[in-house]
Amino acid sequence: MSTNAFEKLSSEAFELYLSTSIPHLEQLPTCLEFYRNFVAQNRPVIIRNAFASWPALSKWNIEYLRQNYGTKDVTVTVTPNGYADAVTDGHFVLPLEKVMPMDQFLCSLENPVENRVHYIQKQNSNLTEEFPELIADSADEIEWVSTLFGAKPDAVNFWMGDERAITSMHKDPYENMYCVVSGHKDFILHPPTDQPWIPYVNYPTAGYQEVDGELKIVPEGDGAIPWIDIDPLNPDYNKYPKYKNARQIHCRVHKGEMLYLPSLWFHHVRQSHGCIAVNY
């Protein structure tokens, strides 16, 4: 397909059904309305008051987690720059994972240290596997979403971390319901029709390890991971000139709001300090 054809496809997607802003719904739609207007069109939406019954909205904060779960061991990722699972110095670099008491993690948020960015972000259904005590304040599924898709979620993840922690640009092959419990998340989105302007490149794998008290990048085997090296906050148009054709869609998801992020949408994520979220 020619470059002109890709440009036309991307342009027509916005002319026909996409927008440079994400729509908001003030109340939950019916399953049929949601499927017809958003899932079938592969179109994101933010739903306000989508999980208003969760006790977590009034309970989850540093003080509550310290008082109730301060001695609990949690898996935390550590990086020097806030970028876990991202391209750094020509490698796809995995974060250092450490197990520490919840109180130690919370102290790292209250007293941030240069070159040490802590983030609870293990995407192994950690809410159900590592934090089952928190399910009573939230949910292990969103029932109307399970009804809509005909299945319970494959994973339910708990996220909490430093404002310096950033999720690099990528896409996922599954539907995502992102619930912000405290603080806010800032998303930069691209629809799948922007694929020609956002190249994946194979990078050798590496990981952060502590060497003489510093986090160093250490190569890991001979494998390679396809990933995106474009920083949408400061794109290098000399390196990636085609990215000028892509259209960024910005949205902020506030406390109590749920973002429906359809499969295959590119996303880059930042957050407020100490933000807490759960995604399905």
Side-chain angles (χ1 to χ4, degrees), residues 90-92 94 203-207 209 217-225:
H91 289 78
F92 175 77
L94 296 167
Y203 294 94
T205 57
Q209 294 185 20
I217 295 174
V218 178
E220 295 184 350
D222 299 323
I225 295 288

Side-chain angles (χ1 to χ4, degrees), residues 142-187:
I142 302 171
E143 290 187 3
W144 67 271
V145 177
S146 297
T147 299
L148 175 68
F149 291 115
K152 292 187 176 184
D154 292 331
V156 186
N157 299 309
F158 174 91
W159 306 74
M160 184 177 186
D162 194 306
E163 64 185 344
R164 296 171 294 171
I166 296 175
T167 301
S168 65
M169 180 85 78
H170 69 288
K171 63 180 179 180
D172 297 313
Y174 44 77
E175 311 290 341
N176 195 330
M177 312 299 291
Y178 212 103
C179 304
V180 175
V181 177
S182 176
H184 66 259
K185 293 271 187 178
D186 288 319
F187 287 78

Side-chain angles (χ1 to χ4, degrees), residues 78-116:
V78 187
T79 62
N81 58 4
Y83 283 89
D85 303 331
V87 177
T88 304
D89 295 342
H91 289 78
F92 175 77
V93 186
L94 296 167
L96 175 68
E97 283 193 353
K98 301 183 81 171
V99 176
M100 62 181 67
M102 174 66 86
D103 182 63
Q104 182 179 341
F105 165 71
L106 298 174
C107 286
S108 77
L109 297 183
E110 293 174 316
N111 304 283
V113 175
E114 187 177 1
N115 298 325
R116 284 289 190 282

Side-chain angles (χ1 to χ4, degrees), residues 180-216:
V180 175
V181 177
S182 176
H184 66 259
K185 293 271 187 178
D186 288 319
F187 287 78
I188 299 176
L189 306 177
H190 287 286
T193 49
D194 276 352
Q195 167 82 57
W197 325 126
I198 306 174
Y200 272 84
V201 176
N202 285 327
Y203 294 94
T205 57
Y208 284 112
Q209 294 185 20
E210 283 192 303
V211 180
D212 297 328
E214 295 185 9
L215 290 175
K216 300 289 187 179

Side-chain angles (χ1 to χ4, degrees), residues 1 11 17 59 62 89 99 120 222:
M1 189 179 288
S11 176
Y17 72 99
K59 294 169 69 173
I62 286 178
D89 295 342
V99 176
I120 295 178
D222 299 323

